[in-house]
Amino acid sequence: MPIGQPKDELDLVVELTEDGQKRQIRQRVTPAAYSIGSDPKSAICIDHSGVSRQHARLYFDPTSIEIEDLGSTNGTYVDGVRIKRRVRIHVGQRIAIGPCMVWLDYPKRAKPEAGAARRAEAPAHTAVVAAGEAGGDAMRAVIRKIKTQIHAELLKRLDLKRLISNPAAQKSLQDKVRVTAADIVQEVRDQLPAHLSPAQLTREIIQEAIGLGPLDDLIEDPEITEVMVNGADKIYVERRGKIYLTERSFVNDDQVLAIIERIVAPIGKRIDESSPYVDARLPDGSRVNAIIPPLSLKGPCITIRKFSKTPFTVEDLIGFGTMTPEIAEFMRVCVLLRKNCVISGGTGSGKTTLLNVLSSFLPRDERIITIEDTAELRLSQPHVISLEARPPNIEGRGAVTIRDLVRNALRMRPDRIVVGECRGGEALDMLQAMNTGHDGSLTTVHANSPRDTISRLETMVLMAGMDLPSRAIREQIAAAIDIICHTDRLSDGTRKITKISEVIGMEKDVIVMQDLFIYKQTGLDPRSRVLGYFSATGSIPTFIEEVEPRGLHLDRGIFQQAAQMRPVIPNA
């Protein structure tokens, strides 16, 4: 609400989604502090499984409104960012209380005549405030218009494109933009909505001019794992495997395009009508995909897969319930025994994260070569060479594919080859490498199950253009692949290793496999979290006799069917 403008009562609106249908509950509030939660004793009771008993507290007085999270499980989010402290909000601003949306609105009744008289006597710039009071959408439209005008003025005073592209000017660029933006905001201060802080507006203008605009704060939030921009007006984020719409937006499509160009320029890539999509990465290693019209009908779209600033460890995955200590120890032994492992799963199921963790088991005295489309893997071993594919240039030449890099890696005296993802003809070169002394290799494949992984590999080998009979391809796969570790993202957003299978060999024209570990889902708890447990199948890996002679130890008891019948408790 406009700061400094008294208001004696408001309506608190709670929007819940049940069975795919949205419904709203309105509750009149007057200046006071209000507890929000699922506890019936809460001043504002939200009966929803995703809301904690004591979730948040709203502070409302005639001149300001603030909200505070009370240590809730699913968090309180303002503008898509989880709050850690008491923050100020305004009328119409959406606040996510767990899976529910909450905001304050003016009571649905006629405004007092005195208020109308005051508005009639007010100077022209207060029309902006009145527009803001009309609701969140109108307010955002006004702010977007103000930002557009400030951006235009900033471009007049600073040649941003030249400064950004000039490495020598990078050091002073931010200071120049900060000073100029602050001057412009100060000049239009009287035209700003009363609730809009000039300092906050200046910060947002700087982010949009030389940073990633409204994405900067989202990328800094450690709980957000994915940021999805669907055109200028819709920005979604993923938290704990669930997707939420934020209140953030860009000024227009041109600003989104400017952000994309800012991302891809430093790594020597481009995006335009002749090359309307691109894969890139941010300085912190986060993976970026961008696609623009005419391929995208919704305007420029950006998808950012964030990676933790500190790579996840095997202990982290055990804590998340992705695997058990016994499964982790089994996979560690497989890596040390130089078994060729394939990690399979769908999009966003945690394949790259698991590949990073398994790569951490590689000995520190081995020469490791990683090959990726866009560099994502972060290995801690000292002797690592990272190779990255290159797209064609503007003339359509100069492309270097994953397959080219796999073949080149064989000439670089590797002890281990780690391919970020097999998705085409490079599968043939990878299999040949595994079968010709480069055992202990790791890679990932998009597939729905371990058995489907075999079919996918067979199809990808055919994509290499070699006219090989199916039996010959299957013999190559059966001889090369030892372990397939399959991951899934479950309905509650958690990622789990749902099956670990061993490739045994061939029987006639069929590749024989046996499951060693599986995850069994038993149902959902009252908060819709998946319940289940990991279990051994009772099968013993065929290479068990190789463990002791290599100086390793693996307890055979973990393969007994009853040994791992322990429930995995979802994180609270």
Side-chain angles (χ1 to χ4, degrees), residues 156-375:
K156 285 182 184 177
R157 301 187 189 187
L158 290 175
D159 188 353
L160 281 180
K161 195 162 188 177
R162 181 183 60 81
L163 289 172
I164 290 172
S165 61
N166 182 8
Q170 289 296 318
K171 188 174 180 181
S172 60
L173 173 60
Q174 189 164 349
D175 289 337
K176 288 181 179 178
V177 173
R178 183 182 292 111
V179 171
T180 307
D183 289 344
I184 297 172
V185 171
Q186 191 64 32
E187 292 169 11
V188 299
R189 183 168 187 161
D190 291 342
Q191 302 175 36
L192 301 181
H195 75 273
L196 185 59
S197 162
Q200 174 65 18
L201 178 60
T202 302
R203 178 170 175 268
E204 291 177 5
I205 293 295
I206 293 169
Q207 287 177 338
E208 292 164 4
I210 57 176
L212 299 183
L215 305 184
D216 273 342
D217 292 337
L218 303 180
I219 290 172
E220 288 298 320
D221 188 339
E223 295 204 346
I224 293 176
T225 53
E226 197 125 15
V227 179
M228 293 152 280
V229 179
N230 298 4
D233 58 344
K234 283 188 173 59
I235 301 177
Y236 290 85
V237 296
E238 179 191 76
R239 293 190 192 88
R240 299 185 181 182
K242 296 288 188 179
I243 295 177
Y244 301 94
L245 175 64
T246 72
E247 293 294 307
R248 304 295 180 89
S249 64
F250 288 90
V251 174
N252 50 39
D253 285 350
D254 289 339
Q255 189 193 357
V256 186
L257 283 169
I259 296 296
I260 296 173
E261 290 176 354
R262 202 170 297 155
I263 292 171
V264 303
I267 58 175
K269 295 188 177 182
R270 64 187 177 85
I271 188 165
D272 49 41
E273 287 190 4
S274 63
S275 180
Y277 58 89
V278 67
D279 287 318
R281 65 177 180 275
L282 298 179
D284 65 357
S286 297
R287 185 175 69 201
V288 181
N289 174 269
I291 186 167
I292 63 174
L295 300 189
S296 170
L297 303 182
K298 278 187 167 288
C301 295
I302 308 173
T303 306
I304 301 176
R305 172 75 56 82
K306 284 179 54 185
F307 294 99
S308 173
K309 288 182 171 57
T310 304
F312 288 128
T313 64
V314 65
E315 290 79 15
D316 291 326
L317 296 194
I318 292 172
F320 298 153
T322 301
M323 62 171 77
T324 64
E326 291 83 359
I327 289 177
E329 178 61 17
F330 171 73
M331 293 306 300
R332 186 184 75 87
V333 169
C334 288
V335 172
L336 294 178
L337 284 176
R338 302 185 68 89
K339 298 301 174 184
N340 294 318
C341 300
V342 175
I343 300 169
S344 64
T347 300
S349 61
K351 298 189 298 300
T352 303
T353 298
L354 183 57
L355 181 61
N356 248 326
V357 169
L358 295 189
S359 298
S360 70
F361 297 146
L362 295 171
R364 297 182 64 81
D365 59 350
E366 292 187 348
R367 179 175 170 87
I368 305 164
I369 297 180
T370 67
I371 302 169
E372 302 171 85
D373 258 333
T374 302

Side-chain angles (χ1 to χ4, degrees), residues 340 431 434-435 473-482 503-506 511:
N340 294 318
L431 293 175
M434 291 175 174
N435 281 324
I473 297 173
R474 290 171 188 167
E475 286 175 348
Q476 284 274 318
I477 295 172
I481 306 299
D482 297 303
V503 178
I504 298 175
M506 289 275 294
I511 294 177

Side-chain angles (χ1 to χ4, degrees), residues 53-70:
R53 290 179 63 81
Q54 296 294 327
H55 199 110
R57 183 171 287 111
L58 177 73
Y59 301 90
F60 170 33
D61 68 50
T63 61
S64 68
I65 310 169
E66 295 179 322
I67 194 161
E68 175 185 22
D69 187 79
L70 300 179

Side-chain angles (χ1 to χ4, degrees), residues 26 109 116 126 129 144 150 157 180 194 200 219 222 271 337 344 349 388 420 456 462 490 498 517 521 548 554:
R26 301 179 76 95
R109 64 189 185 195
T126 57
V129 176
R144 189 177 293 119
I150 294 175
R157 301 187 189 187
T180 307
Q200 174 65 18
I219 290 172
I271 188 165
L337 284 176
S344 64
S349 61
E388 184 179 49
R456 286 272 297 142
L462 293 173
L490 305 183
T498 53
F517 300 96
Q521 182 176 338
E548 297 295 337
L554 187 62

